[in-house]
Amino acid sequence: MADTLTEPPVFIPQTVIPPDKPLPMVRGLLQMIANPLYVWPKAMYENPYHGVRWIGRTFHYFRQPDHMKAVFLDHADIFEKSPFQRRLVRPAAGDGLLSAVGEHWKFQRRAASPAFRIDALRAMVPAFSTSAQETAERMKSAGADTPINVMGEMQHATLDVIVETILGGADPGFAYDAVAHSVTEYIETMGKPDMFDMFGAPNWIPRPWARRGRVAAAGLKKAAVDAIGRRRLSVSQKKDLLGLLLAARDPETGKGLSDIELRDNVVTFIGAGHETTALALTYSLYLIANTPEVQDRLLKEVRDVCGDRQIDADMVDAMPFHEQVIKESMRLYPPVAIIDRMANADIDLGPVKVKKGDLAFALIYIMHRHKLLWENPERFDPDRFSEERSEGRTRFQYMPFGAGPRICIGMKFAYMEAVAILATLVRALKFRPNPLHRVEPNIRITLRPEGGMPLYVEKR
Ligand code: HEM
């Protein structure tokens, strides 16, 4: 109803077209490895739930807010991190904050939390803007006639931000390019659904095809150990995340984080903290390149609020339309498109009976495009996230950051960072579409566009 009142741009962003019917089993399994989005049929975007019995347990495919609330909040103690997720994450990030469970998780979450308090985040905004300005300069020099892979640029920008804000600042010993390359290698190899997992093989059975991923993981761990070593030798007493982790003590035992826990968390924050935000920005740039009217609104907002000044925290707060664009971009392309859990006990969710050992898949991508939940779900319409139109919408219908106790610790960080970077870029550059490139998101660990995101970029 509100769609016609606010006259949003009618742009239907590209994505994978789901099959009309479920695929036959063998084709389905092969496609699942190539890209799960090709396996999930149209009906999944129209009906609320289905479960599949497979090798002795049920796979529950959830895509409605009440199920999300049950899994992530009401029964978070029953739905634990699944062995799939741990297999994906642990080779690189060990038992850092993302994959740890129980008391070990609680201790690490407590230790890291002060670095994400609002005052700490507000102080980081100049670092976000500086990284964005450097990115804009790099992109300006590329020339307007050749498309630029903005995904690579966004990864560069957000990795700079993580090193600056989480590891305590420009570190000449940090091998940026090698780390960015290892993250990509890891995601592209380890991030694929694994045939052995689908057949219930335990994690200890070797997966020879994962060798490239293990090499990448070793590279990331080494970069983390070296960064910690350099920090220990320096006199810095910074209260950034690394400083906090080095100083953390368990209130009961008085013990600090071991060297391995420190390393695992540095890898966790490098990985979780830059890839996802880079994707949110990458898809935002694609969307605004195709909707000049949205791009103009962003430009007007940043000029009105910031003029030519470097963007600070107050300015970020005063640019709600930028946040709306980023939210809508993450609705259409949630960087974490699926979140999985395993039940450690039987539980009834209304008519859905979950048994101990069953797997729960929260299909965020499908929920964000579900016909029962969104009007014209396939349309890019940032005004859906205006205050007025968000009223009455449950927060479990929109979950790019997960929900409940394991909700992303970096959520506010990511919003502030993405707004500061988007505003800086829009003020300096004009983004134009690339008609020769088809956008095809693919679920790896994150939702990456196949072949990157080449767009035309012009200096303003
Ligand atoms: C747009 C950007 C981001 C998205 C979409 C995103 C998404 C997510 C999601 C969905 C989870 C929950 C996973 C689960 O429940 O299994 C998560 C957890 C996490 N994220 Fe983010 N994230 C983003 C940015 C960041 C940033 C900037 C940081 C750090 C600087 C970060 C660090 C983490 C960590 C450490 C966890 C694990 C938290 C815990 O289990 O206690 N993320 N993120």
Side-chain angles (χ1 to χ4, degrees):
M1 107 226 98
D3 279 341
T4 44
L5 288 178
T6 51
E7 292 177 18
V10 180
F11 169 61
I12 311 289
Q14 294 174 345
T15 188
V16 167
I17 313 270
D20 287 330
K21 290 190 300 205
L23 300 180
M25 197 175 89
V26 174
R27 224 178 107 207
L29 283 174
L30 292 174
Q31 280 290 12
M32 190 59 109
I33 293 166
N35 184 357
L37 292 180
Y38 278 111
V39 182
W40 298 331
K42 283 198 176 122
M44 285 176 71
Y45 296 76
E46 289 159 15
N47 58 38
Y49 161 85
H50 76 285
V52 176
R53 262 325 264 170
W54 176 248
I55 319 185
R57 58 180 163 186
T58 302
F59 288 40
H60 301 272
Y61 291 100
F62 293 125
R63 45 205 186 256
Q64 288 301 303
D66 49 347
H67 286 146
M68 300 294 176
K69 180 169 176 287
V71 169
F72 289 94
L73 185 69
D74 301 342
H75 306 294
D77 51 335
I78 289 183
F79 290 96
E80 321 182 307
K81 292 262 168 173
S82 83
F84 286 179
Q85 191 181 132
R86 285 163 65 83
R87 185 190 64 74
L88 288 182
V89 174
R90 285 180 82 198
D95 277 329
L97 187 54
L98 187 60
S99 36
V101 290
E103 287 305 313
H104 190 212
W105 165 73
K106 269 191 200 149
F107 168 48
Q108 297 187 69
R109 179 106 187 182
R110 259 198 316 265
S113 290
F116 294 92
R117 288 203 190 115
I118 192 68
D119 49 336
L121 296 179
R122 293 178 73 80
M124 292 178 193
V125 176
F128 304 157
S129 306
T130 303
S131 157
Q133 274 157 355
E134 288 166 5
T135 307
E137 289 307 317
R138 277 196 309 274
M139 288 162 99
K140 266 183 201 167
S141 59
D145 301 331
T146 328
I148 300 178
N149 179 12
V150 299
M151 179 165 103
E153 289 296 342
M154 293 307 100
Q155 285 167 328
H156 190 148
T158 55
L159 185 57
D160 282 355
V161 162
I162 288 293
V163 174
E164 185 62 34
T165 56
I166 301 276
L167 300 185
D171 173 352
F174 192 83
Y176 288 80
D177 291 344
V179 169
H181 176 72
S182 297
V183 170
T184 291
E185 277 283 289
Y186 190 80
I187 286 173
E188 305 253 310
T189 51
M190 305 296 271
K192 290 185 192 177
D194 181 304
M195 194 65 100
F196 276 26
D197 281 350
M198 292 181 204
F199 285 95
N203 281 346
W204 53 263
I205 293 190
R207 273 96 164 148
W209 53 88
R211 205 190 137 269
R212 256 174 68 205
R214 283 196 297 271
V215 171
L220 288 172
K221 285 180 186 168
K222 183 168 179 327
V225 169
D226 291 351
I228 295 164
R230 282 191 298 276
R231 182 61 174 270
R232 280 199 164 124
L233 289 176
S234 86
V235 287
S236 165
Q237 297 290 316
K238 277 195 182 174
K239 288 273 180 286
D240 57 22
L241 183 73
L242 184 53
L244 285 166
L245 293 175
L246 282 163
R249 295 288 173 270
D250 189 303
E252 271 154 38
T253 63
K255 263 178 60 186
L257 275 90
S258 70
D259 283 0
I260 289 181
E261 287 169 329
L262 281 170
R263 178 200 70 191
D264 290 348
N265 276 298
V266 169
V267 174
T268 299
F269 280 98
I270 290 174
H274 98 283
E275 164 79 10
T276 42
T277 317
L279 289 174
L281 283 161
T282 298
Y283 289 113
S284 300
L285 294 179
Y286 158 67
L287 293 164
I288 65 164
N290 283 280
T291 47
E293 61 286 12
V294 174
Q295 203 170 154
D296 288 348
R297 269 177 79 184
L298 289 173
L299 182 63
K300 180 167 181 339
E301 187 174 70
V302 59
R303 281 190 176 150
D304 286 354
V305 172
C306 315
D308 290 331
R309 287 162 299 149
Q310 198 193 43
I311 292 168
D312 63 22
D314 289 340
M315 298 175 192
V316 166
D317 293 343
M319 291 191 284
F321 188 62
H322 277 71
E323 189 165 313
Q324 282 175 223
V325 168
I326 287 153
K327 284 188 168 151
E328 175 70 342
S329 153
M330 290 195 293
R331 181 186 69 81
L332 288 160
Y333 305 103
V336 180
I338 176 165
I339 312 176
D340 48 343
R341 293 287 192 267
M342 192 169 87
N344 62 22
D346 293 357
I347 173 110
D348 288 354
L349 307 180
V352 178
K353 313 278 176 227
V354 178
K355 296 272 169 229
K356 181 176 174 178
D358 281 359
L359 286 156
F361 292 95
L363 303 178
I364 308 298
Y365 177 91
I366 294 192
M367 179 168 75
H368 284 185
R369 290 168 176 264
H370 206 285
K371 295 207 161 51
L372 294 175
L373 301 172
W374 305 92
E375 215 174 314
N376 299 319
E378 67 296 337
R379 213 192 244 194
F380 172 53
D381 175 9
D383 283 317
R384 291 178 205 278
F385 289 100
S386 67
E387 223 170 278
E388 193 193 355
R389 283 176 62 192
S390 303
E391 241 168 62
R393 189 183 293 147
T394 152
R395 67 192 162 95
F396 293 96
Q397 154 172 4
Y398 178 70
M399 283 184 32
F401 293 98
R406 301 299 298 247
I407 196 169
C408 177
I409 198 172
M411 178 169 75
K412 190 71 194 152
F413 182 118
Y415 275 132
M416 294 177 85
E417 176 186 9
V419 168
I421 294 182
L422 183 64
T424 308
L425 293 180
V426 165
R427 190 172 52 180
L429 305 163
K430 184 169 182 178
F431 294 88
R432 287 194 291 113
N434 179 353
L436 295 180
H437 181 77
R438 208 191 130 69
V439 174
E440 192 176 300
N442 189 346
I443 302 188
R444 293 289 176 236
I445 295 173
T446 51
L447 188 75
R448 291 193 141 201
E450 287 283 358
M453 188 65 79
L455 294 177
Y456 289 95
V457 181
E458 257 170 50
K459 197 171 153 195
R460 281 201 194 273

